[in-house]
């Protein structure tokens, strides 16, 4: 099927790049950068993917566990020290990874609320590094004992990013680059590093769409995840 037709039928918006041996075989963009205003996407467009980045946070933490810098049963209080004092002492890295920590969440999806509610306590342009999220995460009491049940938790994955940085002594973006390179060799062929140039420019990502001889690889920056499709 023609790629343009397939994208239009599926409502796909994103960017695709296919390379082999350093040669770019295919590079295209489909759909919209902004649907409401009808702005077409380009290969330089950045798309917000929200929780699509959680898988790459988990990949980064798993890589640090493999390197012996973290462990699944590590109590997170050991690395938080005086930060986020409401996080219970029995919460572990595994609890955060599996959404069973019970820690209070700045974006509690079980609490309801209007989709237009602004839940952050800081302007988004100030959240330009992992440590800057601490005031956003603080002040939310424990919802239930660690391990008692599952409850999707957004803040827990920001805490994981914070733990990763403190364990490795390196910026989170760099750690994601490294873990992605280890897991997806074709990731080295092309990357875009750093946050958006404008505060109102969302993160770049294409929708996950596997095709015959293509393999998905990804990069996370301060604002989200950038997917590429590399020929195997």
């Amino acid at each position: 099927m023609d790629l343009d037709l397939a994208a239009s039928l599926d409502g796909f918006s994103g960017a695709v790049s296919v390379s082999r041996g350093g040669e770019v075989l295919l590079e295209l963009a489909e759909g919209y950068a902004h649907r409401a205003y009808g702005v077409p996407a380009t290969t330089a467009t950045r798309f917000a993917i929200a929780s699509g980045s959680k898988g790459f946070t988990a990949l980064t933490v798993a890589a640090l566990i493999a390197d012996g810098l973290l462990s699944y049963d590590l109590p997170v209080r050991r690395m938080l020290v005086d930060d986020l004092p409401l996080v219970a002492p029995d919460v572990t890295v595994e609890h955060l990874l599996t959404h069973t920590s019970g820690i209070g969440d700045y974006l509690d999806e079980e609490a309801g609320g209007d989709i237009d509610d602004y839940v952050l306590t800081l302007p988004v342009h100030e959240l330009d590094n992992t440590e800057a999220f601490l005031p956003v995460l603080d002040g939310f009491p424990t919802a239930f004992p660690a391990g008692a049940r599952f409850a999707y938790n957004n803040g827990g994955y920001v805490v994981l990013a914070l733990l990763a940085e403190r364990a490795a002594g390196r910026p989170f973006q760099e750690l994601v680059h490294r873990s992605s390179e280890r897991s997806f060799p074709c990731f080295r062929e092309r990357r875009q590093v750093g946050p958006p140039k404008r505060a109102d420019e969302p993160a770049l990502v294409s929708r996950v769409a596997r095709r015959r001889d293509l393999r998905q690889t990804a990069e996370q920056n301060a604002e989200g995840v950038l997917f590429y499709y590399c020929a195997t």
Side-chain angles (χ1 to χ4, degrees):
M1 179 182 290
D2 178 82
L3 288 177
D4 292 328
L5 176 60
S8 64
L9 291 175
D10 193 49
F12 171 77
S13 288
V16 178
S17 179
V18 181
S19 301
R20 180 180 286 118
E23 177 187 2
V24 177
L25 303 179
L26 172 68
E27 189 172 71
L28 59 84
E30 297 284 355
Y32 296 99
H34 197 302
R35 292 181 185 275
Y37 291 101
V39 179
T42 72
T43 55
T45 300
R46 296 184 174 193
F47 298 89
I49 67 158
S51 291
S53 62
K54 283 186 173 69
F56 301 98
T57 300
L59 176 67
T60 299
V61 170
L64 293 177
I65 290 172
D67 292 339
L69 296 177
L70 286 174
S71 65
Y72 289 111
D73 59 357
L74 174 72
V76 300
R77 283 251 55 89
R78 193 174 300 173
M79 300 194 68
L80 290 176
V81 194
D82 295 328
D83 293 321
L84 307 181
L86 296 183
V87 174
D90 58 342
V91 174
T92 66
V93 169
E94 183 173 8
H95 288 136
L96 294 177
L97 285 168
T98 58
H99 298 277
T100 58
S101 68
I103 69 171
D105 193 3
Y106 75 96
L107 183 56
D108 186 353
E109 299 189 8
E110 295 183 350
D114 192 281
I115 193 170
D116 294 324
D117 290 347
Y118 188 80
V119 299
L120 298 178
T121 56
L122 294 174
V124 68
H125 69 272
E126 294 185 14
L127 303 175
D128 57 355
N129 63 80
T130 309
E131 296 279 343
F133 280 83
L134 282 170
V136 176
L137 302 173
D138 200 11
F140 299 93
T142 294
F144 55 84
R149 64 181 177 90
F150 174 91
Y152 192 83
N153 194 296
N154 292 281
Y157 267 69
V158 185
V159 176
L160 284 170
L162 183 66
L163 298 179
E165 281 196 345
R166 293 183 177 185
R170 298 162 68 182
F172 184 62
Q173 295 92 330
E174 183 180 335
L175 296 174
V176 174
H177 295 163
R178 179 172 174 267
S179 62
S180 298
E181 288 175 349
R182 291 168 63 178
S183 301
F184 308 105
C186 62
F187 175 80
R188 295 187 181 90
E189 294 180 5
R190 179 181 177 187
R191 71 167 59 164
Q192 177 172 336
V193 180
K197 295 179 181 179
R198 304 192 312 272
D200 62 345
E201 185 180 6
L204 172 62
V205 66
S206 75
R207 175 178 170 180
V208 175
R210 294 183 180 274
R211 303 180 190 276
R212 297 187 300 276
D213 62 339
L214 304 184
R215 177 171 58 186
Q216 172 195 336
T217 186
E219 170 183 354
Q220 180 170 335
N221 61 26
E223 298 295 319
V225 178
L226 171 62
F227 285 92
Y228 287 112
Y229 297 89
C230 303
T232 57

